[in-house]
Each structure stands twice: as structure tokens, then as C-alpha cells.
Amino acid sequence: MNVNANYSVSNTSGKEYLKVNTDDEKNQKFELTQISDGYKAKAINKTAKADDGLGSFGLQKRK
């Protein structure tokens, strides 16, 4: 899937978070968990879980 978005990553109390703004939904928030080949991004707010939001997804390391 291709998505045009602006994003930022932050670290709070030892946890990593991803904030994403797309054309359809602003202020989508995800908790990042490192997995063997990248990260799992778990949707943690209403905007990210909305029909036009990204929902939970995985991020793979570039090869």
C-alpha cells in the first residue's frame, strides 16, 4: 500500500510511539513494538482506528 504521510517518532517512558498525518486522517497514534524483521505499529487512538485511518500494521527494515 502506498500512503503519502507526514510522521514523527517519539520515546516516552521507554516506549516508542509513531504519530502519522495523512490526507484523510490527522494525528493518528501508534505504539511501536520491535519484532525480528522490523516493527509492529499498534493503533492506539480513535483516529488511527477510524475507517479512513491506517489501523495496525507492520513496518519492515529496508534491505
Side-chain angles (χ1 to χ4, degrees), residues 8 10 12 15 20 26 31 45 54 56-59 62:
S8 62
S10 62
T12 305
K15 290 187 178 185
V20 179
K26 307 293 184 218
E31 183 176 338
N45 70 348
L54 296 174
S56 296
F57 58 92
L59 298 167
R62 287 188 180 188

Side-chain angles (χ1 to χ4, degrees), residues 21-61:
N21 291 315
T22 64
D23 291 338
D24 295 327
E25 290 289 344
K26 307 293 184 218
N27 297 315
Q28 299 179 68
K29 295 180 183 176
F30 305 87
E31 183 176 338
L32 296 175
T33 304
Q34 191 166 10
I35 55 176
S36 63
D37 61 344
Y39 289 88
K40 176 183 172 188
K42 179 182 176 187
I44 59 172
N45 70 348
K46 191 175 185 177
T47 307
K49 295 175 184 178
D51 288 342
D52 289 336
L54 296 174
S56 296
F57 58 92
L59 298 167
Q60 293 182 331
K61 293 180 184 177

